[in-house]
Amino acid sequence: MNQTPDRDETSFELLPGAPDSPVILHVPHSSRRIPAPVRAGIALDDAALERELDHITDAHTAELAAAAARAAEVTPWRFVNRLSRLVVDPERFPDEREEMLSVGMGAVYTRTTRRTPLRPADADPRPLIERYFHPYAAAMTAAVADRLAVAGRAVIVDVHSYPTARLPYELHGDGPRPQVCLGTDSFHTPPELVTLAEKAFATLSGVGIDSPFSGAYVPLRFYEREPRVTALMVEIRRDTYMSEPGGPTGPGFSRLASALTALVDAMVNE
């Protein structure tokens, strides 16, 4: 775990791409960093927290997005969460709409991947939501609005990874677990975007749709309102590119970076 000191610091970073690129690579779960005041509210000891971070972190996805950005014909923008999702999960609904509340994993997690206590049952999520969730959402909203204004459209590609074996917190983990799972949204993911992704990842041995994870992140201002905002979630099975649960990258990393680059290039040229 990388525990950050008790100071005010930006929890996310927008890395500029080409002025005319509509693509934003969104990397929400790659970091292990936890500010010291947030760490104080977590019930796990240091060893248990390290194990939990191994399982919950989408390791190396920020490096994967960076490699694709460097190689792309037109550099995409990147929006990267610099703190662990154990601080807040910016992709959850911050209210009762979030189905993961049933396993203690709303915007502020109270349970671990194995459904054991992470925070006290009476922990108030509001300070973390105010401090971290809302600024993140506002910045991502602004980034998408800027792409709409400049490029006329915005394409959000959510870059995630998931474990080879189902973890107890997964609500829909009983289906196929392909090397690449494409998560879709009925409003924001047009069929042609899925087709582009299937072609880009065709070099891998398996590409599936909405299993074991579904959906795609869109800021709430645009959600189900703005068709010029399209989105796709790319979930990569971890044994495809790294040593599980929290180890180094392997030989599959470069192949995945090339596939993600091909997807970015195809979306720009669409």
Side-chain angles (χ1 to χ4, degrees), residues 188-224:
H188 292 282
T189 311
E192 54 268 27
L193 184 55
V194 175
T195 299
L196 292 178
E198 289 176 325
K199 289 180 179 178
F201 290 102
T203 57
L204 282 81
S205 62
V207 178
I209 309 295
D210 290 328
S211 177
F213 299 99
S214 62
Y217 176 77
V218 174
L220 289 176
R221 180 193 296 178
F222 308 108
Y223 185 61
E224 296 186 342

Side-chain angles (χ1 to χ4, degrees), residues 14-26 65 69 74-79 143 146-147 150 155 264:
L14 176 63
L15 298 158
D20 58 344
S21 173
V23 180
I24 301 175
L25 297 179
H26 182 221
V74 178
T75 305
W77 295 63
R78 284 178 287 147
F79 196 101
D146 182 67
R147 291 301 85 210
V150 176
V155 187
V264 170

Side-chain angles (χ1 to χ4, degrees), residues 9-174:
E9 62 179 311
T10 302
S11 62
F12 50 83
E13 186 174 11
L14 176 63
L15 298 158
D20 58 344
S21 173
V23 180
I24 301 175
L25 297 179
H26 182 221
V27 188
H29 296 157
S30 65
S31 179
R32 297 171 70 98
R33 297 172 63 195
I34 300 175
V38 181
R39 171 66 183 96
I42 292 176
L44 304 179
D45 63 31
D46 287 348
L49 180 54
E50 288 294 333
R51 289 193 297 271
E52 179 63 13
L53 286 166
D54 284 344
H55 291 290
I56 199 65
T57 303
D58 292 352
H60 313 298
T61 50
E63 295 96 319
L64 182 64
R70 287 192 299 269
E73 295 174 3
V74 178
T75 305
W77 295 63
R78 284 178 287 147
F79 196 101
V80 182
N81 188 3
R82 296 304 186 190
L83 297 181
S84 169
R85 64 196 291 191
L86 297 185
V87 179
V88 296
D89 191 331
E91 294 208 311
R92 303 289 199 236
F93 287 111
D95 51 37
E96 68 281 351
R97 288 174 293 177
E98 181 51 60
E99 70 167 350
M100 295 300 290
L101 282 170
S102 65
V103 290
M105 287 187 166
V108 177
Y109 296 178
T110 58
R111 294 276 167 170
T112 70
T113 52
R114 301 191 179 280
R115 302 198 184 192
T116 58
L118 178 73
R119 289 183 170 90
D122 60 353
D124 183 359
R126 290 174 296 181
L128 292 177
I129 289 175
E130 289 297 323
R131 169 64 183 88
Y132 297 107
F133 184 96
H134 290 319
Y136 188 107
M140 184 64 180
T141 299
V144 173
D146 182 67
R147 291 301 85 210
L148 287 174
V150 176
R153 62 189 178 109
V155 187
I156 303 169
V157 180
D158 239 1
V159 185
H160 290 264
S161 70
Y162 74 98
T164 303
R166 179 181 184 176
L167 290 172
Y169 83 93
E170 296 180 25
L171 293 179
H172 310 290
D174 52 353

Side-chain angles (χ1 to χ4, degrees), residues 157-161 180-183 201 232-236 263:
V157 180
D158 239 1
V159 185
H160 290 264
S161 70
V180 175
C181 162
L182 303 176
F201 290 102
L232 181 74
M233 180 169 65
V234 176
E235 287 270 5
I236 304 159
L263 175 59

